[in-house]
Amino acid sequence: MLPEALEQDREPALPELLHQYLELRSGQRADWTSKGKPIGTVANFNKVQAAMDFLRGKEITTMEIGL
């Protein structure tokens, strides 16, 4: 298989999904005030950082379930 095909077939890694979440939330704050945007950004970053710490602690990197 070509590298491009492999890239499309694989499940996204959880850090990638969390990054996408941050981008989504950033877009949702487009109409927030200039004071509210950074507060929301920091709150979302802290949530993602806590999730990443948890996932690293449990050695979880994908959504794949090993049965």
Side-chain angles (χ1 to χ4, degrees), residues 8-67:
Q8 290 176 0
D9 284 346
R10 73 173 180 81
E11 289 286 326
L14 290 173
E16 291 174 45
L17 292 174
L18 291 170
H19 178 75
Q20 290 173 6
Y21 168 77
L22 285 177
E23 289 179 350
L24 173 71
R25 291 294 295 144
S26 178
Q28 292 172 339
R29 288 190 294 277
D31 60 346
W32 287 26
T33 66
S34 60
K35 281 188 168 185
K37 284 180 185 179
I39 292 170
T41 298
V42 169
N44 290 144
F45 179 80
N46 288 337
K47 288 177 187 175
V48 167
Q49 188 64 42
M52 288 298 301
D53 290 344
F54 173 82
L55 294 169
R56 274 190 215 107
K58 301 290 184 181
E59 298 181 5
I60 299 171
T61 58
T62 68
M63 294 190 313
E64 187 175 309
I65 299 172
L67 297 175

